[in-house]
Amino acid sequence: MPPKPSTLLLMLLGDFVLDRDVCVFSGSAIDVLGRLGVSSHATRSTLARMVNRGLLRRQRHGRKMYFGLTDRAAAILHDGRSRIWETGAVNDDWDGTWTLLCFSLPESWQRQRHDLRSQLAWSGFGPLQGGLWIAPGVVPAQAIVTGLGLSAHARVFHARADELTDVDAMVRDAYDLDELAGRYQGFLARWEGASPFGDPLAARLSLVAEWLGAIRRDPRLPVSHLPPDWPAVRAQRVFRDLEAASLQPARTLAASLLDLKPDEVRT
């Protein structure tokens, strides 16, 4: 599935607006997303929705409307940058630590149970059995249950598996490895062996958006306990090679396309 216009717009802002104290002209965003097949109407609607969601701010210069990042949007983009470049998709330095969260909620609390499970899955947890969920490494699980008002119904532990525990089987039980692998296989099918970029800016935005989509909900399971030839290893190498190749050509093209003004809130 192609990235949504909002995702592509965030990729553009992350590359050329984040940490630069500038705003981008709406017409520039329309021109760039048009290179990716997004209509001007869809881009304008996306900009308006992102303002309403507290992700962008409007700033007028003459008859032109410019858009700058809010603190919330900047935090999202910094998190994505960290996820791509610092955390990565390949967990090859795991120290053997697991975060365990066990919970017991009343049967009638279906909404609370759904919210908790959703946030646990988003944070890299998998269900091991009943109300016991696990995640590799040290995960701030207490913040999840506290934020949902469930502290009295959940307990968090950090532990290491006993030597008799079959960790490979535990990982297979708690996580859908086929679904995880499928994301990276889809990325490889799209990008591995890609020909030189005809439009380096459009290709770069698609590349980074699709890579972030592949890794966003990856729990970063220890590669030593995953099937041989885990596709995330090859996919990450392909992504980084293509990203490096696209960087300078995309910047050169963006410099001629983007109309930027100082962000009056941040300067």
Side-chain angles (χ1 to χ4, degrees), residues 128-146:
L128 189 58
Q129 59 184 46
L132 177 61
W133 289 54
I134 62 170
V138 177
V139 180
Q142 190 60 50
I144 296 174
V145 296
T146 299

Side-chain angles (χ1 to χ4, degrees), residues 8-267:
L8 294 170
L9 189 56
L10 281 173
M11 297 304 99
L12 176 68
L13 297 170
D15 253 358
F16 303 105
V17 172
L18 182 64
D19 296 334
R20 296 180 61 189
D21 295 331
V22 295
C23 295
V24 63
F25 172 46
S26 60
S28 296
I30 290 169
D31 289 345
V32 172
L33 266 64
R35 303 168 82 94
L36 286 150
V38 181
S39 70
S40 60
H41 173 74
T43 301
R44 292 185 190 279
S45 297
T46 299
L47 289 168
R49 284 196 300 271
M50 292 176 74
V51 169
N52 292 336
R53 291 169 56 198
L55 297 172
L56 297 180
R57 289 179 291 97
R58 293 186 176 96
Q59 179 174 301
R60 184 174 291 280
H61 287 270
R63 300 179 65 180
K64 292 183 175 180
M65 186 65 72
Y66 291 73
F67 291 82
L69 295 168
T70 63
D71 289 341
R72 180 186 170 200
I76 290 171
L77 290 171
H78 279 129
D79 180 68
R81 181 181 290 177
S82 174
R83 187 72 177 85
I84 290 172
W85 297 113
E86 296 174 19
T87 307
V90 181
N91 187 353
D92 55 5
D93 58 355
W94 179 59
D95 65 359
T97 302
W98 293 92
T99 298
L100 284 68
L101 185 145
C102 58
F103 64 90
S104 178
L105 304 181
E107 286 296 324
S108 60
W109 287 18
Q110 295 183 9
R111 179 184 59 80
Q112 291 91 334
R113 183 177 289 103
H114 174 269
D115 291 346
L116 177 58
R117 288 173 172 169
S118 296
Q119 290 205 26
L120 289 176
W122 181 260
S123 300
F125 282 85
L128 189 58
Q129 59 184 46
L132 177 61
W133 289 54
I134 62 170
V138 177
V139 180
Q142 190 60 50
I144 296 174
V145 296
T146 299
L148 293 172
L150 300 175
S151 295
H153 301 273
R155 299 291 183 269
V156 179
F157 304 89
H158 300 294
R160 304 174 74 88
D162 183 89
E163 60 183 10
L164 297 179
T165 298
D166 186 339
V167 177
D168 291 11
M170 185 174 73
V171 167
R172 290 194 302 270
D173 289 342
Y175 296 92
D176 186 345
L177 297 187
D178 289 340
E179 194 272 338
L180 288 172
R183 296 181 198 167
Y184 293 109
Q185 290 161 348
F187 180 87
L188 286 166
R190 167 84 163 86
W191 292 101
E192 191 170 34
S195 57
F197 307 121
D199 184 327
L201 180 56
R204 178 179 177 80
L205 296 179
S206 293
L207 172 72
V208 178
E210 290 180 31
W211 179 245
L212 192 58
I215 68 174
R216 187 184 300 277
R217 298 193 68 169
D218 187 338
R220 294 193 76 246
L221 299 166
V223 71
S224 58
H225 294 289
L226 291 170
D229 300 322
W230 185 245
V233 177
R234 193 165 88 252
Q236 180 166 273
R237 184 166 57 248
V238 167
F239 166 74
R240 291 187 171 175
D241 287 346
L242 290 175
E243 188 279 335
S246 71
L247 180 58
Q248 194 53 53
R251 283 179 174 173
T252 300
L253 183 55
S256 68
L257 293 174
L258 298 182
D259 178 358
L260 304 173
K261 294 289 186 184
D263 187 331
E264 294 175 353
V265 172
R266 297 179 180 274
T267 56

